[in-house]
Amino acid sequence: MSRRLVVVLFLDLVGWTRLAERVDPEPLQRLLDEYYEICSAAVEEHGGVVEKFIGDAVMAVFGADTSQEDDAPRALRTAMRIRAEVRDLHTPATDAAPVEVHCGIAAGEALVTRSARAGIRVVGDVVNLAARLQSLAVAGEIIVNETVAHLARPHYAMVPVPPVALKGKAEPVPVLLVTGEAADGGAGEDSLMVDRGAERHRLRRIYHRVARERRAELVTVIGPPGIGKTRLVREAVDDLVAAGARPVAVFGSCQSYGTAGNYGALVEMLDALTRRAPSCAELLRTDERIAGVLAALRDASLPRRAGAVPGPGVEELSWATRELLTAAARDPLVVVWDNLAWAGQSLLRLIGELMDGLRDLPLLMVCVSRPETAGRDASQEADVIEVGALVPADSARLAFSLAGRASGDEVELHGLDLAEQVDRVALYSAGNPLYIRLMMDWLRNGRTVDEVPPTITAMVGAMIDRLPAPSRRLLGAASVIGPSFTLEQLALLGEPAPEAAVAELAGRRLFRSTEEEGGYRFVQQPVHEVAYGRLEKEQRVSWHRRLAEHGFSPGFHLEAATRLLGGLRPDDAGLPELARQAAGALLGEGTVALRQRDVPTAIGLLGRALVLARGGPDGCRSVAAVRLSDALMLSGDTRGALEVVEEGPWRATSPPALVRVQRQLLAARLGKVTAADVEGLRAALDGLDGAEPDRSARCRFEQLLMLIHLDRGRFGAAEEAACAALDHARDVGDAYEEDRLLVALCEIRQWSPSPMAQKLAGCAELLERFAADRFLALPALAARARCLALTGDRSGARSALTEAESVVVQLRLTLGRVLVDQVAALAASLDGEHAEAERRFGRAADALEQAGYVPVALTMRVQAARECARRDRTDEAARRIADLLARREEMDVRGRILCLSAAVLGAAAQGRAEPMRAEVLRLLRNLDDPCLRGEVCFDLARAHRCLGEGAEARTMAGLAAESYAAVGAVKPLGAVRAWM
């Protein structure tokens, strides 16, 4: 029980009593059920709670459990949504009239109680007041008390109505009528810019510091929509040019629609860079790889995504962008990221990486965003420039300039006193330049401020209403495509002669052309949003589906169509199939992102696919769940990866085989799988019929076996399991699994009994397959270098290592460096360069420990200590091996046996027989890595010789030679034979 400020919403259906008198109760109840569902969903979505249903009346409370500063705006949003959605319902009477509601909202102190039987109960005068306000409202109206108006006025426009006398109140109660929402927007580029001198000067000062010190800096320009942020930045750049500076300035603008927003902004920026910086154009002509990355990026940014294949990985994009920016930065460079509020995590991360990696360039990076996204910017070190509202005097000055006058003289505009109207515009605009421009456009057509809807959304709607019907339809069609669109897409939606019609709307400053051929975008975001919201939902569904059918952003458009159709007709027979198609499209796009290692984008797309797939066939939703689980693991969210397959849509049902296998795979990665778990899973899979989803499950099951074999040092068995998994992946045409397994096979074969020729052939296959993705090609390069080093091809090994080093440096791959260091250390050791080998193994160990890979890091420590011994620093090596022996239970099998055999050899060199030799022999029996067997057997052979055990030494040396010869490891084989 608590006393608190709450917001109470009352609403009910208009004309319900008369309707109940002339309509049968059964269809009436169906209407009531739909109405209740709309109300419940809207209240819950906006954080409120339905306190009670009373016939056709609904009472909801906001702030009952926890008060929020925006309880009043959320109550208003709820009321408006209910009002809009119930209009799609129709009465079951013969006239089938649309359904209307009337609403009352009051805020005030109340006593809130909660009990198991009664739930939440709100007691206080505020409840009675909300109910009385609702009874005062006519159809479609929302009436509020003064407290609600005070809390919500920044977000909603309201007009006072005559105070009302209420029973029990000594004085009339002031009340207001809500007339609409305040909308977002941006100022006109061709209007006067006022009151921005300080911000422009600050940007110019930062630019000059960047140019003088040749050091990169990041600036974030923030402000509400329509306040003129982008205009400010463009004007500042123009100021620099006018003052004689020569910046290379490029812009990239993020989109709020679709899945390629990150790519679109990046493409726009890089294309502008190559046009404006001759050094970049020259780099594209001379470097085919960078040109290829940019071409693939353009393809990935296109909305036509059906059948898409992965473009360049995020590492390649980062590298190519750095190279182009570096080439362009011979002169000071200004890069502006506009509308960053819509940016995905991938682009934000890229901006941060660029700032970290290009500190020594004369680069000014400007991020333009909104206040609510502060903290999502690319760097916490950014200078922040806040663009605030205009003061009333500057608002009036801007309004006069838009009216064609630069002074405050009173002039007539269609018979109206301009000075008076400008004063009112300055007051009602709240200092937002866009709002001022829209109001003045209205006045120019002979209207008055009194006639303008008191919100920007309403003003934009009124402006759209003044257009001819064909223009309104075209505006709606463009809004469905997105903030940017092409003439081709408009023609696809059935717009006749779209070029002339679009040009006419561009003349009205609703569209502007882009640099893409036949491309346009909305000048102001509110125009796009209002145009879209005014379309009938049936029309939106139809157009979204048509765009998806022709391959334009099918995931986004099918998802939008599903959401709209679900709101229109939840029982529509085609809705499940539409949701299935949307889930499949999002799954495909999410998988492409996952193959490119664009993990944040993949998580978003796959999460949306899983939501849509919940009511569909097991195949799509299980694959979506597993892919999402993979993506979450890559992001480091182990708990999230487990929750997706542990709970998800299978909480109350038996999960599909693929999901059960994924659970065990995750358990294996965490070291928590048991033999009983594996055998139970095998038995369950053996009982299935081998349909496609089950082949996917078998593919993952073989991967589970692969992990278990690797953990136990059985590399041959792991290779067999990986090959079986690869066969299953190829049978179902799963390129994602095929990529993963080919890389895994390449790495496993380094340690398996496969001959060197087969290992090298596998490397060649991967290098060809991943020629455009050097991140995935890196393991093949490293494996190739290792194989060549073992076969004695020193120059070939060095060449492969040099190429691998280049990939690591250019793509900045921390763990890739570890992989290269391991192979380089092996090659150095085989060539007798033991100091270099020790250094490389030590550096790999440091990086692995920092990343949390302790078992592998300890193995690298063991290898470094062994190299120390080979440099005749026996005492130091013995101390290091002794320290590592104490941690051998933390090591993987490889590290453990190498540590033990080094200890045996060290003891023998001092004339002592080490009892741990028995443990080495036990581990050796279960080891099928020929090169590791050879190395350990050679350790034991030398230990036997030190102890004067010649026969045993020859036996172990023979086993070492036999192991090396089995795989064609010529280099170490020669060393063993020379020793023998």
Side-chain angles (χ1 to χ4, degrees), residues 393 396-401 403-412 417-423:
R397 182 181 167 206
L398 175 58
F400 273 115
S401 74
R405 299 299 178 99
S407 71
D409 295 337
E410 291 189 358
V411 297
E412 294 297 310
D417 183 84
L418 179 61
E420 180 183 351
Q421 297 296 336
V422 162
D423 286 341

Side-chain angles (χ1 to χ4, degrees), residues 20-36:
E21 290 175 349
R22 54 195 181 91
V23 175
D24 186 81
E26 290 186 15
L28 209 57
Q29 182 60 47
R30 286 195 292 271
L31 171 64
L32 204 58
D33 288 342
E34 292 180 83
Y35 164 65
Y36 283 168

Side-chain angles (χ1 to χ4, degrees), residues 760-780:
L760 287 168
C763 293
E765 180 186 357
L766 250 67
L767 289 172
E768 181 179 358
R769 180 183 181 96
F770 300 130
D773 192 339
R774 291 180 293 170
F775 179 89
L776 292 179
L778 180 62

Side-chain angles (χ1 to χ4, degrees), residues 608-643:
R608 287 154 55 195
L610 184 58
V611 169
L612 287 169
R614 288 181 188 275
D618 280 343
C620 181
R621 62 177 177 163
S622 59
V623 173
V626 169
R627 300 273 161 90
L628 178 57
S629 179
D630 287 349
L632 290 166
M633 280 296 289
L634 284 174
S635 74
D637 185 1
T638 304
R639 175 179 292 181
L642 287 166
E643 288 176 352

Side-chain angles (χ1 to χ4, degrees), residues 497-555:
E499 188 168 2
V502 169
E504 192 270 334
L505 288 175
R508 293 175 178 262
R509 295 184 299 174
L510 295 177
F511 299 152
R512 66 174 173 83
S513 62
T514 64
E515 291 171 346
E516 179 184 3
E517 183 178 356
Y520 290 84
R521 69 179 300 121
F522 282 84
V523 172
Q524 303 294 349
Q525 182 184 331
V527 177
H528 166 245
E529 293 177 350
V530 173
Y532 182 80
R534 290 165 64 90
L535 283 173
E536 292 183 2
K537 290 185 177 180
E538 292 282 9
Q539 182 65 80
R540 285 187 246 169
V541 169
S542 173
W543 278 343
H544 278 304
R545 296 184 74 163
R546 193 179 305 174
L547 288 164
E549 287 165 4
H550 287 78
F552 290 101
S553 301

Side-chain angles (χ1 to χ4, degrees), residues 4 118 209 222 944:
R4 59 173 61 249
R209 184 169 66 231
I222 62 172
H944 282 303

Side-chain angles (χ1 to χ4, degrees), residues 727-787:
D727 289 341
H728 288 306
R730 285 172 169 165
D731 284 344
V732 296
D734 191 334
Y736 166 70
E737 293 284 20
E738 190 175 352
D739 282 355
R740 297 172 69 247
L741 288 163
L742 283 171
V743 173
L745 259 176
C746 183
E747 295 184 3
I748 292 168
R749 279 179 175 152
Q750 295 184 74
W751 327 111
S752 76
S754 299
M756 287 294 170
Q758 184 178 350
K759 299 177 194 288
L760 287 168
C763 293
E765 180 186 357
L766 250 67
L767 289 172
E768 181 179 358
R769 180 183 181 96
F770 300 130
D773 192 339
R774 291 180 293 170
F775 179 89
L776 292 179
L778 180 62
L781 283 171
R784 185 170 184 269
R786 182 178 187 275
C787 292

Side-chain angles (χ1 to χ4, degrees), residues 91 180 586 683 696 744 798 891 915 929 954:
T91 64
L586 290 169
S696 297
R798 295 296 168 94
M891 300 177 187
D929 175 355
R954 286 190 295 276

